[in-house]
Amino acid sequence: MSSAISSTRFSVLDRSRTREGHPVGEALRDTVRFAREAERLGYHRFWVSEHHGVPGVAGSAPTVLAAAVAAATRTIRVGTGGVMLPNHRPLVVAEQFGVLESLFPGRIDMGLGRSVGFTGGVRKALGRDKEDAEDFEAQLAELLGWFRGTSPTGVHARPAEGLTVPPFVLAMGEGAAIAARAGLPMVIGDLRDREKMLRGVDRYRAHFRPSSWASEPYVVISGTIAVAATREQARRLLIPEAWSMAYSRTHGTFPPLPPAERVEARTMTGKERGFYESGLTGQLAGTEEEVAEELERVLKETEAQEVLVTTSGYDRDALLDSYRRLARIAGLTPAHGNGGA
């Protein structure tokens, strides 16, 4: 195992992807079961996501799901990747994370994003529009202020005030600069577009301002990593997600994951085929030796402190096997306690 890999933390983001032929609620229960396995394998964090009105994702209430994950585990850090701050009042978000940290002290992370609803209908239902994302930096400052008790309103966030819940900024577009100015750890993806990722990482490090939350830059790179006994098996694990992404780009809605064999039997339009092939290209996928070699290269390029793995798949056994193989590559051992950011 290389020095770069051995000195890097590995964590999991599970998006509670729904699957064709399976009840929606099963995806949430799968997430909780998956968290237990991730903890057993020695992953550092387990995060859940926020999506609204998306047929392919059951995770619409990340702080609620994080509570279920934290209650079902003992040592792994638990958090959100992320709570989309433009969708919520910062006070309410502070209160929710204050409750989580009070219930599970020292284990909660607060991953924060600036996205709004995927479609116009969802944004309307949330009472938001695309422009609300432009207020993210101010919303972030207000949220952090609730933990420090600095709100000019005279109101106090209970039980958040005085607690320290490590915040992370999901760096999409402008997010890297915002994370740097706020002096917060940054999560950046995806692994398929290395040049864009490296530009974001360089920008973040160049403009980072130390804060009470982080004294130096902390980079988490995120993306899909698929590991199997053969390259073909690893690629097959990626097929359902690649098709769902292609479908969303051509039909405007993100569907449940289909089994790989059904995707392979489909007749695709040229546009669909292009998006589908793009979804299979550039991912970290292969045997343990192949993935280790590519992972080493990425870590040396980015000098990231942590990798957040976001792989989803229809075949749950193959998916869990991939995470087990990756844990072996990373030299992970079951943790007896995970402290700090």
Side-chain angles (χ1 to χ4, degrees), residues 144-182:
L144 299 181
W146 289 115
F147 286 91
R148 294 294 187 248
T150 58
S151 172
T153 63
V155 175
H156 298 274
R158 309 293 186 197
E161 188 173 309
L163 298 179
T164 297
V165 181
F168 295 74
V169 172
L170 276 59
M172 303 296 289
E174 183 64 17
I178 292 173
R181 287 192 293 267

PDB file of all heavy atoms in Angstrom, residues 144-182:
ATOM      1  N   LEU A 144     -23.365  29.447  10.826  1.00  0.00           N
ATOM      2  CA  LEU A 144     -22.237  29.286  11.749  1.00  0.00           C
ATOM      3  C   LEU A 144     -22.378  30.222  12.946  1.00  0.00           C
ATOM      4  O   LEU A 144     -21.965  29.893  14.065  1.00  0.00           O
ATOM      5  CB  LEU A 144     -20.925  29.535  11.011  1.00  0.00           C
ATOM      6  CG  LEU A 144     -20.627  28.576   9.842  1.00  0.00           C
ATOM      7  CD1 LEU A 144     -19.284  28.909   9.204  1.00  0.00           C
ATOM      8  CD2 LEU A 144     -20.670  27.129  10.293  1.00  0.00           C
ATOM      9  N   GLY A 145     -22.984  31.374  12.717  1.00  0.00           N
ATOM     10  CA  GLY A 145     -23.205  32.329  13.802  1.00  0.00           C
ATOM     11  C   GLY A 145     -24.138  31.797  14.880  1.00  0.00           C
ATOM     12  O   GLY A 145     -23.984  32.120  16.065  1.00  0.00           O
ATOM     13  N   TRP A 146     -25.097  30.958  14.476  1.00  0.00           N
ATOM     14  CA  TRP A 146     -26.001  30.377  15.475  1.00  0.00           C
ATOM     15  C   TRP A 146     -25.247  29.481  16.448  1.00  0.00           C
ATOM     16  O   TRP A 146     -25.590  29.400  17.627  1.00  0.00           O
ATOM     17  CB  TRP A 146     -27.118  29.589  14.788  1.00  0.00           C
ATOM     18  CG  TRP A 146     -28.135  30.437  14.082  1.00  0.00           C
ATOM     19  CD1 TRP A 146     -28.391  30.481  12.748  1.00  0.00           C
ATOM     20  CD2 TRP A 146     -29.036  31.381  14.678  1.00  0.00           C
ATOM     21  NE1 TRP A 146     -29.379  31.381  12.465  1.00  0.00           N
ATOM     22  CE2 TRP A 146     -29.801  31.949  13.641  1.00  0.00           C
ATOM     23  CE3 TRP A 146     -29.268  31.805  15.986  1.00  0.00           C
ATOM     24  CZ2 TRP A 146     -30.776  32.910  13.869  1.00  0.00           C
ATOM     25  CZ3 TRP A 146     -30.249  32.773  16.216  1.00  0.00           C
ATOM     26  CH2 TRP A 146     -30.985  33.311  15.172  1.00  0.00           C
ATOM     27  N   PHE A 147     -24.216  28.802  15.976  1.00  0.00           N
ATOM     28  CA  PHE A 147     -23.420  27.953  16.874  1.00  0.00           C
ATOM     29  C   PHE A 147     -22.529  28.784  17.795  1.00  0.00           C
ATOM     30  O   PHE A 147     -22.217  28.356  18.906  1.00  0.00           O
ATOM     31  CB  PHE A 147     -22.552  26.986  16.050  1.00  0.00           C
ATOM     32  CG  PHE A 147     -23.327  25.873  15.423  1.00  0.00           C
ATOM     33  CD1 PHE A 147     -23.857  26.004  14.152  1.00  0.00           C
ATOM     34  CD2 PHE A 147     -23.546  24.686  16.108  1.00  0.00           C
ATOM     35  CE1 PHE A 147     -24.584  24.981  13.569  1.00  0.00           C
ATOM     36  CE2 PHE A 147     -24.269  23.649  15.534  1.00  0.00           C
ATOM     37  CZ  PHE A 147     -24.799  23.795  14.259  1.00  0.00           C
ATOM     38  N   ARG A 148     -22.154  29.956  17.338  1.00  0.00           N
ATOM     39  CA  ARG A 148     -21.272  30.812  18.126  1.00  0.00           C
ATOM     40  C   ARG A 148     -22.033  31.819  18.985  1.00  0.00           C
ATOM     41  O   ARG A 148     -21.441  32.565  19.767  1.00  0.00           O
ATOM     42  CB  ARG A 148     -20.309  31.567  17.195  1.00  0.00           C
ATOM     43  CG  ARG A 148     -19.321  30.652  16.457  1.00  0.00           C
ATOM     44  CD  ARG A 148     -18.370  29.996  17.448  1.00  0.00           C
ATOM     45  NE  ARG A 148     -17.301  29.253  16.797  1.00  0.00           N
ATOM     46  CZ  ARG A 148     -17.168  27.936  16.829  1.00  0.00           C
ATOM     47  NH1 ARG A 148     -18.060  27.199  17.482  1.00  0.00           N
ATOM     48  NH2 ARG A 148     -16.155  27.339  16.234  1.00  0.00           N
ATOM     49  N   GLY A 149     -23.362  31.879  18.810  1.00  0.00           N
ATOM     50  CA  GLY A 149     -24.163  32.805  19.609  1.00  0.00           C
ATOM     51  C   GLY A 149     -23.994  34.254  19.216  1.00  0.00           C
ATOM     52  O   GLY A 149     -24.112  35.142  20.060  1.00  0.00           O
ATOM     53  N   THR A 150     -23.734  34.487  17.922  1.00  0.00           N
ATOM     54  CA  THR A 150     -23.460  35.860  17.472  1.00  0.00           C
ATOM     55  C   THR A 150     -24.599  36.477  16.662  1.00  0.00           C
ATOM     56  O   THR A 150     -24.420  37.511  16.036  1.00  0.00           O
ATOM     57  CB  THR A 150     -22.181  35.881  16.618  1.00  0.00           C
ATOM     58  OG1 THR A 150     -22.334  34.982  15.497  1.00  0.00           O
ATOM     59  CG2 THR A 150     -20.978  35.449  17.437  1.00  0.00           C
ATOM     60  N   SER A 151     -25.761  35.863  16.680  1.00  0.00           N
ATOM     61  CA  SER A 151     -26.872  36.415  15.901  1.00  0.00           C
ATOM     62  C   SER A 151     -27.293  37.773  16.448  1.00  0.00           C
ATOM     63  O   SER A 151     -27.479  37.934  17.664  1.00  0.00           O
ATOM     64  CB  SER A 151     -28.070  35.470  15.934  1.00  0.00           C
ATOM     65  OG  SER A 151     -29.202  36.082  15.333  1.00  0.00           O
ATOM     66  N   PRO A 152     -27.451  38.765  15.554  1.00  0.00           N
ATOM     67  CA  PRO A 152     -27.888  40.096  16.011  1.00  0.00           C
ATOM     68  C   PRO A 152     -29.363  40.146  16.402  1.00  0.00           C
ATOM     69  O   PRO A 152     -29.839  41.169  16.901  1.00  0.00           O
ATOM     70  CB  PRO A 152     -27.627  40.979  14.784  1.00  0.00           C
ATOM     71  CG  PRO A 152     -27.727  40.045  13.608  1.00  0.00           C
ATOM     72  CD  PRO A 152     -27.191  38.737  14.095  1.00  0.00           C
ATOM     73  N   THR A 153     -30.088  39.052  16.212  1.00  0.00           N
ATOM     74  CA  THR A 153     -31.524  39.043  16.521  1.00  0.00           C
ATOM     75  C   THR A 153     -31.809  38.961  18.009  1.00  0.00           C
ATOM     76  O   THR A 153     -32.925  39.240  18.439  1.00  0.00           O
ATOM     77  CB  THR A 153     -32.200  37.828  15.850  1.00  0.00           C
ATOM     78  OG1 THR A 153     -31.645  36.623  16.412  1.00  0.00           O
ATOM     79  CG2 THR A 153     -31.967  37.832  14.345  1.00  0.00           C
ATOM     80  N   GLY A 154     -30.798  38.531  18.779  1.00  0.00           N
ATOM     81  CA  GLY A 154     -31.038  38.298  20.200  1.00  0.00           C
ATOM     82  C   GLY A 154     -31.618  36.934  20.482  1.00  0.00           C
ATOM     83  O   GLY A 154     -31.806  36.546  21.642  1.00  0.00           O
ATOM     84  N   VAL A 155     -31.911  36.181  19.419  1.00  0.00           N
ATOM     85  CA  VAL A 155     -32.429  34.818  19.561  1.00  0.00           C
ATOM     86  C   VAL A 155     -31.249  33.864  19.727  1.00  0.00           C
ATOM     87  O   VAL A 155     -30.166  34.092  19.194  1.00  0.00           O
ATOM     88  CB  VAL A 155     -33.261  34.436  18.321  1.00  0.00           C
ATOM     89  CG1 VAL A 155     -33.718  32.984  18.385  1.00  0.00           C
ATOM     90  CG2 VAL A 155     -34.460  35.377  18.184  1.00  0.00           C
ATOM     91  N   HIS A 156     -31.450  32.785  20.458  1.00  0.00           N
ATOM     92  CA  HIS A 156     -30.404  31.787  20.659  1.00  0.00           C
ATOM     93  C   HIS A 156     -30.875  30.439  20.124  1.00  0.00           C
ATOM     94  O   HIS A 156     -31.998  30.017  20.394  1.00  0.00           O
ATOM     95  CB  HIS A 156     -30.042  31.666  22.140  1.00  0.00           C
ATOM     96  CG  HIS A 156     -29.497  32.936  22.704  1.00  0.00           C
ATOM     97  ND1 HIS A 156     -28.166  33.276  22.631  1.00  0.00           N
ATOM     98  CD2 HIS A 156     -30.124  33.981  23.311  1.00  0.00           C
ATOM     99  CE1 HIS A 156     -27.976  34.452  23.185  1.00  0.00           C
ATOM    100  NE2 HIS A 156     -29.157  34.911  23.616  1.00  0.00           N
ATOM    101  N   ALA A 157     -30.007  29.781  19.357  1.00  0.00           N
ATOM    102  CA  ALA A 157     -30.339  28.474  18.785  1.00  0.00           C
ATOM    103  C   ALA A 157     -30.094  27.397  19.829  1.00  0.00           C
ATOM    104  O   ALA A 157     -28.963  27.180  20.251  1.00  0.00           O
ATOM    105  CB  ALA A 157     -29.483  28.214  17.550  1.00  0.00           C
ATOM    106  N   ARG A 158     -31.160  26.750  20.242  1.00  0.00           N
ATOM    107  CA  ARG A 158     -31.058  25.680  21.225  1.00  0.00           C
ATOM    108  C   ARG A 158     -31.323  24.333  20.550  1.00  0.00           C
ATOM    109  O   ARG A 158     -32.292  24.229  19.785  1.00  0.00           O
ATOM    110  CB  ARG A 158     -32.069  25.897  22.362  1.00  0.00           C
ATOM    111  CG  ARG A 158     -32.036  27.271  22.997  1.00  0.00           C
ATOM    112  CD  ARG A 158     -30.748  27.503  23.758  1.00  0.00           C
ATOM    113  NE  ARG A 158     -30.813  28.790  24.467  1.00  0.00           N
ATOM    114  CZ  ARG A 158     -29.763  29.422  24.947  1.00  0.00           C
ATOM    115  NH1 ARG A 158     -28.550  28.912  24.786  1.00  0.00           N
ATOM    116  NH2 ARG A 158     -29.902  30.581  25.584  1.00  0.00           N
ATOM    117  N   PRO A 159     -30.483  23.326  20.787  1.00  0.00           N
ATOM    118  CA  PRO A 159     -29.316  23.307  21.668  1.00  0.00           C
ATOM    119  C   PRO A 159     -27.991  23.543  20.949  1.00  0.00           C
ATOM    120  O   PRO A 159     -26.942  23.118  21.428  1.00  0.00           O
ATOM    121  CB  PRO A 159     -29.358  21.868  22.210  1.00  0.00           C
ATOM    122  CG  PRO A 159     -29.850  21.068  21.030  1.00  0.00           C
ATOM    123  CD  PRO A 159     -30.814  21.966  20.292  1.00  0.00           C
ATOM    124  N   ALA A 160     -28.021  24.214  19.775  1.00  0.00           N
ATOM    125  CA  ALA A 160     -26.811  24.323  18.954  1.00  0.00           C
ATOM    126  C   ALA A 160     -25.759  25.256  19.550  1.00  0.00           C
ATOM    127  O   ALA A 160     -24.553  24.988  19.451  1.00  0.00           O
ATOM    128  CB  ALA A 160     -27.193  24.811  17.553  1.00  0.00           C
ATOM    129  N   GLU A 161     -26.219  26.350  20.164  1.00  0.00           N
ATOM    130  CA  GLU A 161     -25.268  27.370  20.616  1.00  0.00           C
ATOM    131  C   GLU A 161     -24.249  26.781  21.587  1.00  0.00           C
ATOM    132  O   GLU A 161     -24.596  26.115  22.555  1.00  0.00           O
ATOM    133  CB  GLU A 161     -26.012  28.531  21.281  1.00  0.00           C
ATOM    134  CG  GLU A 161     -25.109  29.718  21.595  1.00  0.00           C
ATOM    135  CD  GLU A 161     -25.883  30.916  22.100  1.00  0.00           C
ATOM    136  OE1 GLU A 161     -26.865  31.311  21.427  1.00  0.00           O
ATOM    137  OE2 GLU A 161     -25.512  31.457  23.164  1.00  0.00           O
ATOM    138  N   GLY A 162     -22.981  27.032  21.278  1.00  0.00           N
ATOM    139  CA  GLY A 162     -21.899  26.533  22.113  1.00  0.00           C
ATOM    140  C   GLY A 162     -21.363  25.176  21.696  1.00  0.00           C
ATOM    141  O   GLY A 162     -20.301  24.759  22.178  1.00  0.00           O
ATOM    142  N   LEU A 163     -22.077  24.494  20.804  1.00  0.00           N
ATOM    143  CA  LEU A 163     -21.600  23.196  20.320  1.00  0.00           C
ATOM    144  C   LEU A 163     -20.695  23.383  19.104  1.00  0.00           C
ATOM    145  O   LEU A 163     -20.807  24.375  18.379  1.00  0.00           O
ATOM    146  CB  LEU A 163     -22.775  22.290  19.943  1.00  0.00           C
ATOM    147  CG  LEU A 163     -23.744  21.919  21.072  1.00  0.00           C
ATOM    148  CD1 LEU A 163     -24.862  21.035  20.522  1.00  0.00           C
ATOM    149  CD2 LEU A 163     -23.011  21.212  22.202  1.00  0.00           C
ATOM    150  N   THR A 164     -19.830  22.418  18.860  1.00  0.00           N
ATOM    151  CA  THR A 164     -18.972  22.441  17.671  1.00  0.00           C
ATOM    152  C   THR A 164     -19.303  21.241  16.799  1.00  0.00           C
ATOM    153  O   THR A 164     -19.016  20.100  17.154  1.00  0.00           O
ATOM    154  CB  THR A 164     -17.485  22.392  18.059  1.00  0.00           C
ATOM    155  OG1 THR A 164     -17.165  23.563  18.818  1.00  0.00           O
ATOM    156  CG2 THR A 164     -16.600  22.363  16.823  1.00  0.00           C
ATOM    157  N   VAL A 165     -19.966  21.526  15.688  1.00  0.00           N
ATOM    158  CA  VAL A 165     -20.283  20.504  14.692  1.00  0.00           C
ATOM    159  C   VAL A 165     -19.475  20.845  13.445  1.00  0.00           C
ATOM    160  O   VAL A 165     -19.730  21.875  12.814  1.00  0.00           O
ATOM    161  CB  VAL A 165     -21.789  20.482  14.363  1.00  0.00           C
ATOM    162  CG1 VAL A 165     -22.087  19.383  13.350  1.00  0.00           C
ATOM    163  CG2 VAL A 165     -22.616  20.289  15.626  1.00  0.00           C
ATOM    164  N   PRO A 166     -18.476  20.046  13.079  1.00  0.00           N
ATOM    165  CA  PRO A 166     -17.596  20.402  11.966  1.00  0.00           C
ATOM    166  C   PRO A 166     -18.375  20.664  10.671  1.00  0.00           C
ATOM    167  O   PRO A 166     -19.107  19.789  10.198  1.00  0.00           O
ATOM    168  CB  PRO A 166     -16.690  19.177  11.823  1.00  0.00           C
ATOM    169  CG  PRO A 166     -16.686  18.556  13.174  1.00  0.00           C
ATOM    170  CD  PRO A 166     -18.056  18.783  13.725  1.00  0.00           C
ATOM    171  N   PRO A 167     -18.230  21.882  10.102  1.00  0.00           N
ATOM    172  CA  PRO A 167     -18.907  22.183   8.847  1.00  0.00           C
ATOM    173  C   PRO A 167     -17.991  21.891   7.647  1.00  0.00           C
ATOM    174  O   PRO A 167     -16.779  22.083   7.710  1.00  0.00           O
ATOM    175  CB  PRO A 167     -19.190  23.689   8.940  1.00  0.00           C
ATOM    176  CG  PRO A 167     -18.259  24.215   9.994  1.00  0.00           C
ATOM    177  CD  PRO A 167     -17.583  23.075  10.678  1.00  0.00           C
ATOM    178  N   PHE A 168     -18.592  21.436   6.568  1.00  0.00           N
ATOM    179  CA  PHE A 168     -17.902  21.193   5.295  1.00  0.00           C
ATOM    180  C   PHE A 168     -18.717  21.863   4.200  1.00  0.00           C
ATOM    181  O   PHE A 168     -19.944  21.815   4.222  1.00  0.00           O
ATOM    182  CB  PHE A 168     -17.818  19.697   4.983  1.00  0.00           C
ATOM    183  CG  PHE A 168     -16.984  18.891   5.945  1.00  0.00           C
ATOM    184  CD1 PHE A 168     -17.455  18.589   7.221  1.00  0.00           C
ATOM    185  CD2 PHE A 168     -15.745  18.410   5.573  1.00  0.00           C
ATOM    186  CE1 PHE A 168     -16.711  17.831   8.106  1.00  0.00           C
ATOM    187  CE2 PHE A 168     -14.978  17.648   6.452  1.00  0.00           C
ATOM    188  CZ  PHE A 168     -15.455  17.360   7.716  1.00  0.00           C
ATOM    189  N   VAL A 169     -18.034  22.440   3.212  1.00  0.00           N
ATOM    190  CA  VAL A 169     -18.721  23.046   2.081  1.00  0.00           C
ATOM    191  C   VAL A 169     -18.585  22.131   0.871  1.00  0.00           C
ATOM    192  O   VAL A 169     -17.473  21.740   0.488  1.00  0.00           O
ATOM    193  CB  VAL A 169     -18.135  24.434   1.744  1.00  0.00           C
ATOM    194  CG1 VAL A 169     -18.728  24.969   0.433  1.00  0.00           C
ATOM    195  CG2 VAL A 169     -18.422  25.406   2.877  1.00  0.00           C
ATOM    196  N   LEU A 170     -19.725  21.777   0.269  1.00  0.00           N
ATOM    197  CA  LEU A 170     -19.714  21.017  -0.974  1.00  0.00           C
ATOM    198  C   LEU A 170     -19.435  21.984  -2.110  1.00  0.00           C
ATOM    199  O   LEU A 170     -20.252  22.864  -2.397  1.00  0.00           O
ATOM    200  CB  LEU A 170     -21.048  20.306  -1.188  1.00  0.00           C
ATOM    201  CG  LEU A 170     -21.233  18.954  -0.500  1.00  0.00           C
ATOM    202  CD1 LEU A 170     -21.089  19.067   1.016  1.00  0.00           C
ATOM    203  CD2 LEU A 170     -22.575  18.351  -0.860  1.00  0.00           C
ATOM    204  N   ALA A 171     -18.270  21.845  -2.716  1.00  0.00           N
ATOM    205  CA  ALA A 171     -17.783  22.854  -3.656  1.00  0.00           C
ATOM    206  C   ALA A 171     -18.254  22.560  -5.070  1.00  0.00           C
ATOM    207  O   ALA A 171     -17.585  21.870  -5.830  1.00  0.00           O
ATOM    208  CB  ALA A 171     -16.263  22.926  -3.608  1.00  0.00           C
ATOM    209  N   MET A 172     -19.406  23.076  -5.402  1.00  0.00           N
ATOM    210  CA  MET A 172     -19.886  23.025  -6.775  1.00  0.00           C
ATOM    211  C   MET A 172     -19.778  24.438  -7.338  1.00  0.00           C
ATOM    212  O   MET A 172     -20.376  25.377  -6.811  1.00  0.00           O
ATOM    213  CB  MET A 172     -21.339  22.557  -6.817  1.00  0.00           C
ATOM    214  CG  MET A 172     -21.563  21.199  -6.173  1.00  0.00           C
ATOM    215  SD  MET A 172     -20.709  19.857  -7.004  1.00  0.00           S
ATOM    216  CE  MET A 172     -21.680  19.770  -8.509  1.00  0.00           C
ATOM    217  N   GLY A 173     -18.985  24.631  -8.397  1.00  0.00           N
ATOM    218  CA  GLY A 173     -18.828  25.957  -8.983  1.00  0.00           C
ATOM    219  C   GLY A 173     -18.137  26.909  -8.031  1.00  0.00           C
ATOM    220  O   GLY A 173     -16.965  26.755  -7.686  1.00  0.00           O
ATOM    221  N   GLU A 174     -18.885  27.894  -7.554  1.00  0.00           N
ATOM    222  CA  GLU A 174     -18.344  28.936  -6.690  1.00  0.00           C
ATOM    223  C   GLU A 174     -18.013  28.427  -5.298  1.00  0.00           C
ATOM    224  O   GLU A 174     -17.363  29.113  -4.514  1.00  0.00           O
ATOM    225  CB  GLU A 174     -19.378  30.081  -6.592  1.00  0.00           C
ATOM    226  CG  GLU A 174     -18.955  31.293  -5.783  1.00  0.00           C
ATOM    227  CD  GLU A 174     -17.770  32.043  -6.376  1.00  0.00           C
ATOM    228  OE1 GLU A 174     -17.474  31.825  -7.562  1.00  0.00           O
ATOM    229  OE2 GLU A 174     -17.155  32.842  -5.653  1.00  0.00           O
ATOM    230  N   GLY A 175     -18.403  27.215  -4.984  1.00  0.00           N
ATOM    231  CA  GLY A 175     -18.244  26.695  -3.629  1.00  0.00           C
ATOM    232  C   GLY A 175     -16.819  26.669  -3.124  1.00  0.00           C
ATOM    233  O   GLY A 175     -16.573  26.865  -1.935  1.00  0.00           O
ATOM    234  N   ALA A 176     -15.838  26.436  -4.002  1.00  0.00           N
ATOM    235  CA  ALA A 176     -14.439  26.372  -3.559  1.00  0.00           C
ATOM    236  C   ALA A 176     -13.991  27.711  -2.992  1.00  0.00           C
ATOM    237  O   ALA A 176     -13.334  27.769  -1.946  1.00  0.00           O
ATOM    238  CB  ALA A 176     -13.535  25.958  -4.722  1.00  0.00           C
ATOM    239  N   ALA A 177     -14.341  28.788  -3.660  1.00  0.00           N
ATOM    240  CA  ALA A 177     -13.967  30.121  -3.183  1.00  0.00           C
ATOM    241  C   ALA A 177     -14.693  30.461  -1.891  1.00  0.00           C
ATOM    242  O   ALA A 177     -14.122  31.073  -0.975  1.00  0.00           O
ATOM    243  CB  ALA A 177     -14.263  31.172  -4.253  1.00  0.00           C
ATOM    244  N   ILE A 178     -15.946  30.055  -1.791  1.00  0.00           N
ATOM    245  CA  ILE A 178     -16.718  30.313  -0.573  1.00  0.00           C
ATOM    246  C   ILE A 178     -16.119  29.550   0.605  1.00  0.00           C
ATOM    247  O   ILE A 178     -15.960  30.101   1.703  1.00  0.00           O
ATOM    248  CB  ILE A 178     -18.196  29.935  -0.791  1.00  0.00           C
ATOM    249  CG1 ILE A 178     -18.842  30.889  -1.805  1.00  0.00           C
ATOM    250  CG2 ILE A 178     -18.968  29.955   0.527  1.00  0.00           C
ATOM    251  CD1 ILE A 178     -20.246  30.497  -2.225  1.00  0.00           C
ATOM    252  N   ALA A 179     -15.774  28.288   0.388  1.00  0.00           N
ATOM    253  CA  ALA A 179     -15.153  27.487   1.450  1.00  0.00           C
ATOM    254  C   ALA A 179     -13.843  28.116   1.900  1.00  0.00           C
ATOM    255  O   ALA A 179     -13.536  28.162   3.096  1.00  0.00           O
ATOM    256  CB  ALA A 179     -14.911  26.061   0.956  1.00  0.00           C
ATOM    257  N   ALA A 180     -13.063  28.617   0.945  1.00  0.00           N
ATOM    258  CA  ALA A 180     -11.772  29.237   1.273  1.00  0.00           C
ATOM    259  C   ALA A 180     -11.963  30.500   2.101  1.00  0.00           C
ATOM    260  O   ALA A 180     -11.274  30.712   3.102  1.00  0.00           O
ATOM    261  CB  ALA A 180     -11.010  29.555  -0.013  1.00  0.00           C
ATOM    262  N   ARG A 181     -12.898  31.353   1.681  1.00  0.00           N
ATOM    263  CA  ARG A 181     -13.125  32.607   2.414  1.00  0.00           C
ATOM    264  C   ARG A 181     -13.663  32.351   3.816  1.00  0.00           C
ATOM    265  O   ARG A 181     -13.339  33.083   4.758  1.00  0.00           O
ATOM    266  CB  ARG A 181     -14.087  33.499   1.637  1.00  0.00           C
ATOM    267  CG  ARG A 181     -13.485  34.143   0.398  1.00  0.00           C
ATOM    268  CD  ARG A 181     -14.374  35.238  -0.159  1.00  0.00           C
ATOM    269  NE  ARG A 181     -15.631  34.739  -0.700  1.00  0.00           N
ATOM    270  CZ  ARG A 181     -15.817  34.423  -1.970  1.00  0.00           C
ATOM    271  NH1 ARG A 181     -14.814  34.496  -2.840  1.00  0.00           N
ATOM    272  NH2 ARG A 181     -17.007  34.003  -2.398  1.00  0.00           N
ATOM    273  N   ALA A 182     -14.471  31.294   3.954  1.00  0.00           N
ATOM    274  CA  ALA A 182     -15.056  30.980   5.264  1.00  0.00           C
ATOM    275  C   ALA A 182     -14.083  30.214   6.155  1.00  0.00           C
ATOM    276  O   ALA A 182     -14.328  30.063   7.347  1.00  0.00           O
ATOM    277  CB  ALA A 182     -16.345  30.179   5.077  1.00  0.00           C
TER     278      ALA A 182
END
